[in-house]
Amino acid sequence: MEMFRAPEAAADVNAAAHSRVATATSERGEVVLLRRGDDGALELRVNGVFVMDTVHTSSERLLATTALTASLAGRAPGAPVRVLIGGLGLGFTLQEVLADRRVTAAHVVEIEPAVVRWHQEGLVPDTAGAFGDKRVEVTVGDVREVLARLDPTSVDVLLLDVDNGPGFLVHDDNAGLYRREFLELCREKLVADGCLAIWSAGPSAELESMLGAVFADSQQVAIPVVFGERATTYHLYIARKHV
Ligand SMILES: C[S@@+](CC[C@H](N)C(=O)[O-])C[C@H]1O[C@@H](n2cnc3c(N)ncnc32)[C@H](O)[C@@H]1O
């Protein structure tokens, strides 16, 4: 089972082919923004784990579009649409959310202060501009804690992309995000026709079954991804509160 995003790109962080754009240390470890020498792409690594680059972004974008499609199909035009995104990363999910003009508010929660700062400083040109959008609110914190503080039924679409999936966590503490208690919290915060979508590198029968137990409807969507001459499949888990 493939557990990394773009694993062939996850070379030694100190290799000559990489240059460090920015580095920060948090209580969770080192966060690094790298520029690859071969193709000029940016990479984000958290605590030694490759989490994202600026080349292979289709599945992070599909996280947004698939969930918005599942949730908003029956909505009246002009109705408010509030999206909460767990994990800013390099900003591609946020950028895709903002491209949907039906979205009236996008709240991004990112645990690493440095990641937010790097966007504000313009170090991620591929998704620059997202923070300037009037619909965006950014909170530095753990998505579990931020979500817990929100009012019930105050979120239309909830997007989670904080790990490489439940089988490959960036932080051990994130294990709780895939447990029943947190999934029930997500359900509580969603409006009646709201939708939760979770990104995962590998398939997870456990997550699929848990979502099936908590939500009225859930499905696993396989996303084929090609890295040069190699192909793999990533997964989205889409769960709706009511059918
Ligand atoms: C894979 S990246 C997100 C990629 C993003 N979808 C994109 O399009 O670029 C994961 C991000 O989630 C953040 N993160 C990890 N655990 C988190 C948590 N518990 N709460 C909020 N953010 C978290 C990481 O610091 C990292 O920036």
Side-chain angles (χ1 to χ4, degrees):
M1 187 197 308
E2 190 55 76
M3 298 310 292
F4 288 95
R5 302 182 205 216
E8 85 293 357
D12 178 4
V13 70
N14 293 313
H18 292 75
S19 57
R20 285 182 184 237
V21 175
T23 305
T25 304
S26 74
E27 62 200 69
R28 286 160 299 280
E30 193 183 51
V31 190
V32 188
L33 189 64
L34 297 169
R35 173 80 60 194
R36 283 205 298 261
D38 51 358
D39 62 359
L42 283 173
E43 285 184 19
L44 178 67
R45 298 191 186 200
V46 179
N47 208 12
V49 178
F50 177 98
V51 291
M52 180 77 198
D53 71 14
T54 51
V55 173
H56 308 97
T57 63
S58 60
S59 62
E60 288 79 4
R61 292 176 179 279
L62 278 167
L63 178 71
T65 51
T66 309
L68 286 164
T69 302
S71 190
L72 304 184
R75 290 288 178 94
V81 176
R82 300 147 299 177
V83 180
L84 187 130
I85 304 170
L88 171 62
L90 295 176
F92 289 93
T93 301
L94 173 64
Q95 190 180 58
E96 200 65 36
V97 162
L98 295 171
D100 190 324
R101 300 312 300 178
R102 294 171 299 180
V103 172
T104 51
H107 184 179
V108 193
V109 185
E110 167 57 50
I111 204 165
E112 297 295 350
V115 170
V116 173
R117 199 173 60 243
W118 295 339
H119 279 273
Q120 287 165 338
E121 290 171 352
L123 297 186
V124 191
D126 304 71
T127 55
F131 277 24
D133 192 300
K134 288 197 301 286
R135 295 170 291 170
V136 175
E137 175 187 352
V138 181
T139 300
V140 174
D142 188 321
V143 66
R144 276 170 302 182
E145 290 163 17
V146 175
L147 190 70
R149 293 198 294 266
L150 299 183
D151 291 335
T153 66
S154 61
V155 179
D156 295 271
V157 176
L158 181 38
L159 306 175
L160 288 182
D161 181 11
V162 294
D163 295 300
N164 284 331
F168 196 113
L169 305 177
V170 173
H171 309 300
D172 291 346
D173 281 355
N174 279 351
L177 290 168
Y178 308 97
R179 294 199 186 115
R180 184 170 185 137
E181 192 184 358
F182 180 74
L183 299 179
E184 284 173 345
L185 184 73
C186 293
R187 185 182 183 283
E188 177 199 315
K189 305 302 177 183
L190 285 169
V191 297
D193 58 354
C195 166
L196 164 69
I198 302 176
W199 192 101
S200 178
S204 168
E206 203 180 337
L207 178 60
E208 194 175 11
S209 133
M210 197 86 74
L211 285 168
V214 173
F215 286 84
D217 168 64
S218 68
Q219 58 172 315
Q220 176 189 284
V221 180
I223 314 277
V225 187
V226 178
F227 303 117
E229 294 181 355
R230 255 177 18 83
T232 188
T233 304
Y234 291 154
H235 299 82
L236 304 181
Y237 290 89
I238 311 289
R240 290 188 298 160
K241 188 163 173 177
H242 291 298
V243 284

